[in-house]
Amino acid sequence: MFQKLFRTRYAPDYTLFAVILLLLLLGAVMVYSSSYVWAEYKYADQFFYLKRQLLFCGVGVIGMFFFMIIPYGNWKKYSKIILLACFLLLLAVLIPGIGMERGGAQSWIGVGAFSVQPSEFMKLGLIIFLAAYLSVQQKYITSFKKGFLPSLILVFTAFGLIMLQPDLGTGVVLVGTCMVMIYIAGARLLHFVGLGAIGAAGFLLLILSAPYRISRITAFINPWEDPLGDGFQIIQSLYAIGPGGLMGLGLGESIQKYFYLPEPQNDFIFAIIGEELGFLGGTFVIGLFALLFWRGMKVALEAPDAYGRFLALGIVSMLTIQVMINISVVIGLIPVTGITLPFLSYGGSSLTLTLCSAGILLNISRYSRL
């Protein structure tokens, strides 16, 4: 079947490709603009973060082209092996001496001077496996026992391992993405209602089980109650966005990056975009992500087989959910979760895996009549 399917190739979606490259370019510029003060202070090299970001971009772009060339049907054959490898990585990161702790979370495995984050691999690995599973078992998805429950067990096993690190933000993105895929596959709404009630209770227990999560909720409700503690990040983020106005203070002219907003090149890079490029700059970035979502959904709808449709849908859902959570945190709509902004935030595993995911999406577009 796949041999016949993959005989016909078209050019990749150039609009989608251009959006990805534009986001990468903007990300490199903003990583430098937001980080050079801290980089000069900490490493005596204002280009420290930019050089590493360009390295990550280079590795990620190579990965993107690799995945764009390899027919996406091949990943279906190896989906079980890929998922098993991702689970092994999630277990390895919990082993003392292997896993590295940062910011209270043991989420990284050190590789020389760099580190990898297994939960990022799991997001893509689970999408690949779930797309394969749903494309074969879709007829059973309306059955709670035969279709819905096995999917849930798999998703929440991965979620549970991620929460042992703990990394609630990544776990929420993973669960949200998988729930979208399962729902689109045809799962009954009644099953989601029951799951939602259980999930709400479980989410409340997760919050109550960790004092720092309660502090984040309290800081979200009233950040001024602890302006130098838990409320500090969101207050400084709003201080960045507010003065930006319509046009911004100008590229490189941010005030908040001068040791007010902690590590602005990471999760809160959108705040610096708002401060330096203003409402128009922030709207332009959101517009690029909206265009990426539209083209990605078009690729999913026009994919030549069920596996391609579910795979494209999963990747687009993952990116969209992550963008929505990150920007919502930055503008104070939801509590701080520690989620990067795809293509823009400084990072290694996150940026590389995001670009590899984009490569798969571009490969699917080569077999779709857009």
Side-chain angles (χ1 to χ4, degrees), residues 136-363:
V136 175
Q137 303 292 334
Q138 187 175 4
K139 59 185 176 183
Y140 298 116
I141 200 65
T142 55
S143 167
F144 183 80
K145 279 187 177 181
K146 292 183 178 180
F148 193 70
L149 184 59
S151 303
L152 286 190
I153 291 173
L154 180 66
V155 172
F156 283 98
T157 299
F159 177 74
L161 288 174
I162 291 173
M163 287 309 301
L164 290 176
Q165 299 177 8
D167 186 355
L168 180 60
T170 300
V172 168
V173 172
L174 181 140
V175 171
T177 300
C178 294
M179 291 303 102
V180 169
M181 294 176 69
I182 293 170
Y183 176 74
I184 296 299
R188 292 183 178 178
L189 189 59
L190 183 63
H191 293 161
F192 281 99
V193 172
L195 178 64
I198 297 172
F203 195 71
L204 182 61
L205 287 175
L206 283 174
I207 292 173
L208 295 176
S209 66
Y212 79 91
R213 293 193 191 115
I214 299 175
S215 299
R216 285 185 177 182
I217 297 295
T218 304
F220 165 68
I221 297 171
N222 182 17
W224 292 102
E225 186 176 326
D226 188 10
L228 297 179
D230 292 314
F232 186 77
Q233 271 187 310
I234 187 58
I235 289 173
Q236 299 307 317
S237 177
L238 295 176
Y239 274 162
I241 293 173
L246 181 64
M247 303 292 290
L249 302 179
L251 186 62
E253 299 300 318
S254 166
I255 296 172
Q256 292 304 108
K257 67 188 175 190
Y258 282 87
F259 311 112
Y260 293 104
L261 186 60
E263 298 194 29
Q265 72 277 4
N266 287 331
D267 303 344
F268 283 83
I269 196 168
F270 188 76
I272 303 301
I273 291 173
E275 185 180 14
E276 295 190 349
L277 305 182
F279 176 80
L280 292 180
T283 302
F284 177 70
V285 170
I286 293 173
L288 287 177
F289 282 119
L291 183 56
L292 187 148
F293 171 78
W294 171 56
R295 297 307 298 183
M297 288 304 297
K298 201 164 175 55
V299 170
L301 291 171
E302 298 294 334
D305 66 325
Y307 176 64
R309 286 192 291 275
F310 285 123
L311 187 56
L313 173 69
I315 292 170
V316 174
S317 299
M318 176 187 69
L319 295 175
T320 304
I321 291 171
Q322 195 162 327
V323 168
M324 291 173 64
I325 291 176
N326 178 274
I327 294 179
S328 296
V329 166
V330 170
I331 62 179
L333 292 180
I334 61 175
V336 176
T337 57
I339 288 292
T340 58
L341 187 59
F343 303 108
L344 295 175
S345 293
Y346 170 79
S349 297
S350 177
L351 179 60
T352 303
L353 267 295
T354 297
L355 284 168
C356 289
S357 301
I360 295 175
L361 191 60
L362 287 167
N363 180 261

Side-chain angles (χ1 to χ4, degrees), residues 4-47:
K4 183 179 179 181
L5 175 65
F6 292 123
R7 283 176 188 163
T8 305
R9 295 188 183 187
Y10 306 99
D13 184 345
Y14 288 124
T15 302
L16 181 61
F17 185 69
V19 169
I20 292 167
L21 292 184
L22 191 53
L23 284 168
L24 269 185
L25 178 62
L26 180 61
V29 172
M30 293 312 302
V31 163
Y32 172 70
S33 181
S34 61
S35 70
Y36 70 82
V37 174
W38 178 251
E40 180 67 34
Y41 169 76
K42 189 173 182 180
Y43 301 104
D45 178 7
Q46 63 177 322
F47 298 103

Side-chain angles (χ1 to χ4, degrees), residues 27-97:
V29 172
M30 293 312 302
V31 163
Y32 172 70
S33 181
S34 61
S35 70
Y36 70 82
V37 174
W38 178 251
E40 180 67 34
Y41 169 76
K42 189 173 182 180
Y43 301 104
D45 178 7
Q46 63 177 322
F47 298 103
F48 177 82
Y49 290 106
L50 175 62
K51 288 188 289 189
R52 290 171 68 93
Q53 183 75 351
L54 291 176
L55 176 60
F56 299 144
C57 282
V59 173
V61 167
I62 291 172
M64 181 176 71
F65 277 104
F66 173 78
F67 281 91
M68 188 170 68
I69 293 170
I70 302 297
Y72 69 86
N74 288 320
W75 308 119
K76 184 176 184 179
K77 303 177 195 175
Y78 303 108
S79 59
K80 293 180 181 178
I81 297 174
I82 291 170
L83 185 66
L84 178 60
C86 291
F87 270 115
L88 291 176
L89 283 173
L90 280 185
L91 290 171
V93 80
L94 300 174
I95 301 173

